Amino acid sequence: MGVVFGVLGPVTAWGDAGDPIALKGPRHRAVLARLVVARGRVVPVTRLVDDLWAEAPPGAVGAVRTFVAALRRALEPGRAARTPARLLVTEGPGYALRAEPDAVDAWRFERAVAGAADLPPAEGLAVLEEALGWWRGPAYAEFAGEDWARAERSRLAELRLHAVERHAGARLALGRAAEAVPDLDAHAAEHPWREDAWHLLALALYRTGRQGDALAVLRRARALLVEQLGVDPGPRLRRLEADILGHAPHLDHVEAAGDAEGGAGAARVWARAAAVYDRTVASGARARLESTVGLLRNLAVTGGGGLEAAREHRVAAIAAAEELGDVELTARVIGAYDVPAIWTRADDPAQAARVVAAAERALAALPPGGHEAARTRLLATVAVESRGTRDARGPRAAREAERLARRLDDPALLAFALNGLFMQTFHRAGLAPERDAIGAELVALSARHGLVTYEVLGHLIRVQARAALADFATADRHASAADRLARRNELPLAGVFTQWYRALRLTVDDTVTAAQEEAACRAAAARLDGAGMPGLERGLLPLALLSVRLRRDRAGHGAAPAEDAGWGPYEPWARPLVLLARGRPRDAAAALRAVPDPPRDLLFEAMWCLTARAAIAVGDRETAERARAELAPAAGELAGAGSGLLSLGPVAGYLDDLTAALRS
């Protein structure tokens, strides 16, 4: 990270190796602290003089400059003479500290406390515990009497108290009330005006079976508030006292929500319910098949082995339903697996084809009249599972499922149908706006009706679509929204896509080097290992690395990685460029002639751009003409960015190059 600054205690700084940096005298530290308070804004030299001295001595401006020069030598000892400072910079009439967001402990603390609010109790507790450990004393400790530090010290002190109370609240949510009592007792005694502290302490005591102590705490709080502030306790404390006296059920810790063992309560509830189910529902009952599919649907969104097992057992459940000869049961078993799908390449194409075939058999066998909901789910299944193919049945099924779902006015059914429609919007280039509209409807529909997994899907679709349209500000907001929902609802697969998006996001930052881009791609690829999505994993990292190099070497010469890079399904489109990079233009031309049309999926434009680059290089006019015609509808998009994973740069640039090559 480089230099790290500490203001949550005495003002200090640490170097790369974690060793303290000598900051010389108190006025040197005061200058540094004043610039940290400014949070990257320029502080004029005259303001620094006023802040450092009650009455400025002659030569005060020169002294400030001397302090700054000494700080620069300490903070950047390896900086060559007469080269601009990177951290403590001169700008306009003064100086500014250009520290990274994580380089100042106070800034880091702020973000940690804010982020913990969106986390489950166990994760939030860990984040807050670490963040509170960064405090080494009062903020800006040696500058307590300085006017310029007063407001910032007060703000940070209040934030710390809030974090202490949030930390205690997380312990209570996890059933660890006894652990929370000692810290809360000390906290309330030290800050007797904080009603939240008294509330948490009384609740913790009550949950440990100490009802009398809890009531005594509330009486002590009332006495202190009246004596010291002249006010009565607020309604929240008064209500808690009444609830304790009445043994209100909501005061008890809900065991199923988790406890000190990290969810043992939930495990007990599950075990008991499963045992009752086993005793009550006969082993051969058809209801077990439908229950199984419900479990598989939940298992699929956990990722990894859960997703792989869900796919495998889903096919077995469908086969078992068909063996029973009950078409309506079969339709329900097939249609109940409405797991949101964001990636257009099937993880197991053969298995997807078997599901489509079973869905079509059920559609044909359903008796006419009625069964519209089942029919809609089967059609949506066909649309989702036939993604990335050239089969005309997929688009037809998607349109019909959407029509039926809208007529039935069933939000969950419509969300499933919209997922199928999204999967079938890749029949040509340039359809990012259409997909964006589907994503927007999914977000709105799902938020209204509590369809969390489809709300996450809608945000991810919008990340992809807005990235394709180079609207990264909007894409950023949807990526953050997807992450928040995924954390709250334990949906780890969403993070795979948002991490890849953030690697893609680096492509529009001119200050980022190729090495940094490639490192981000490798980190995102590591997240795929064991995620249970081979259709996404195979060949993606080499393709992403190629996209970095092609954007930076527009002619494409020498841009491709080695021939054995493990291209997976992208090998036909990468091979001509690999051969060109190895100095084999004749072989590249032959390979280009054998390249098939790209699959109709999220990387459709990207594959055509690879083909276009190779066609220009070998002078294949026929392929160049086809590439230009296919890419023309996407002239306003970034090639490949619609995947949310990588970008080959503006499609318009490829079109310009193709036009120039065809004119020559």
Side-chain angles (χ1 to χ4, degrees), residues 180-550:
V181 168
D183 290 342
L184 280 170
D185 202 359
H187 177 62
E190 192 175 350
H191 307 284
W193 60 90
R194 295 186 70 84
E195 293 197 20
D196 280 351
W198 293 113
H199 186 281
L200 286 163
L201 175 58
L203 181 58
L205 288 165
Y206 179 80
R207 286 187 177 174
T208 55
R210 297 165 62 184
Q211 177 184 335
D213 289 340
L215 291 169
V217 158
L218 292 173
R219 285 194 294 271
R220 189 163 89 242
R222 180 187 296 109
L224 286 167
L225 289 168
V226 170
E227 289 171 11
Q228 295 190 13
L229 299 179
V231 297
D232 289 323
R236 194 159 175 254
L237 281 184
R238 295 198 302 271
R239 194 162 51 245
L240 177 62
E241 186 173 22
D243 287 343
I244 289 175
L245 288 167
H247 298 280
H250 71 265
L251 294 183
D252 295 324
H253 177 248
V254 181
E255 193 174 59
D259 58 14
E261 300 302 318
R268 284 193 293 274
V269 171
W270 170 269
R272 291 167 188 163
V276 172
Y277 189 92
D278 272 343
R279 289 196 304 271
T280 308
V281 182
S283 60
R286 299 183 180 196
R288 286 200 172 225
L289 273 179
E290 293 186 71
S291 299
T292 298
V293 176
L295 290 174
L296 296 179
R297 181 175 53 194
N298 293 333
L299 187 62
V301 298
T302 64
L307 178 56
E308 292 172 351
R311 282 198 300 267
E312 177 187 345
H313 294 303
R314 178 194 184 192
V315 173
I318 293 171
E322 288 192 301
E323 285 175 13
L324 292 170
D326 185 335
V327 66
E328 293 177 27
L329 172 65
T330 302
R332 291 197 300 273
V333 166
I334 294 172
Y337 190 86
D338 54 353
V339 177
I342 183 67
W343 186 242
T344 45
R345 187 177 290 275
D347 292 307
D348 187 334
Q351 187 185 84
R354 289 199 294 275
V355 172
V356 169
E360 291 189 321
R361 286 194 296 272
L363 279 166
L366 276 175
H371 306 292
E372 286 195 318
R375 199 177 301 278
T376 305
R377 286 187 170 276
L378 290 170
L379 288 165
T381 299
V382 171
V384 169
E385 296 297 336
S386 62
R387 62 192 186 269
T389 68
R390 293 183 175 277
D391 196 326
R393 293 175 298 177
R396 285 199 303 270
R399 290 191 295 271
E400 180 64 7
E402 182 199 11
R403 185 186 68 79
L404 288 171
R406 291 193 188 281
R407 192 175 77 195
L408 292 169
D409 196 25
D410 180 332
L413 204 54
L414 180 56
F416 190 16
L418 288 173
N419 194 178
L421 189 66
F422 162 71
M423 284 296 175
Q424 297 297 332
T425 52
F426 298 90
H427 50 280
R428 64 169 176 82
L431 291 174
E434 188 173 325
R435 294 192 286 276
D436 189 43
I438 293 172
E441 183 174 4
L442 266 174
V443 169
L445 175 75
S446 303
R448 282 198 307 273
H449 298 284
L451 307 172
V452 175
T453 54
Y454 276 107
E455 189 176 354
V456 172
L457 173 67
H459 285 300
L460 293 177
I461 289 173
R462 297 211 69 192
V463 167
Q464 294 173 340
R466 300 318 299 180
L469 298 169
D471 178 6
F472 287 101
T474 303
D476 288 346
R477 289 197 297 273
H478 286 288
S480 296
D483 281 335
R484 283 194 300 272
L485 284 167
R487 282 195 300 267
R488 276 188 214 142
N489 297 281
E490 299 177 326
L491 302 170
L493 290 182
V496 173
F497 292 96
T498 54
Q499 184 167 348
W500 268 104
Y501 164 70
R502 291 188 174 97
L504 157 65
R505 185 71 169 81
L506 298 178
T507 65
V508 296
D509 186 342
D510 293 336
T511 66
V512 173
T513 65
Q516 289 170 319
E517 278 193 63
E518 292 185 2
C521 291
R522 293 184 193 281
R527 185 84 180 263
L528 279 169
D529 187 21
M533 296 186 288
L536 178 63
E537 181 180 5
R538 291 180 58 239
L540 181 56
L541 177 59
L543 186 65
L545 298 179
L546 175 60
S547 74
V548 173
R549 297 168 196 182
L550 276 178

Side-chain angles (χ1 to χ4, degrees), residues 597-620:
D597 285 350
R600 307 285 174 165
D601 64 15
L602 281 159
L603 288 168
F604 180 73
E605 291 93 343
M607 296 302 103
W608 269 116
C609 285
L610 296 184
T611 300
R613 185 65 63 227
I616 292 168
V618 303
D620 185 334

Side-chain angles (χ1 to χ4, degrees), residues 69-87:
L71 284 170
R72 283 173 171 165
R73 286 193 297 273
L75 298 175
E76 298 183 63
R79 182 169 57 88
R82 291 185 294 280
T83 58
R86 180 179 60 85
L87 276 173

Side-chain angles (χ1 to χ4, degrees), residues 35 40-43 72 87-91 94-98:
L35 295 176
R41 296 186 298 275
V42 173
V43 181
R72 283 173 171 165
L87 276 173
L88 208 165
V89 303
T90 302
E91 202 167 291
Y95 304 104
L97 184 69
R98 298 290 188 233

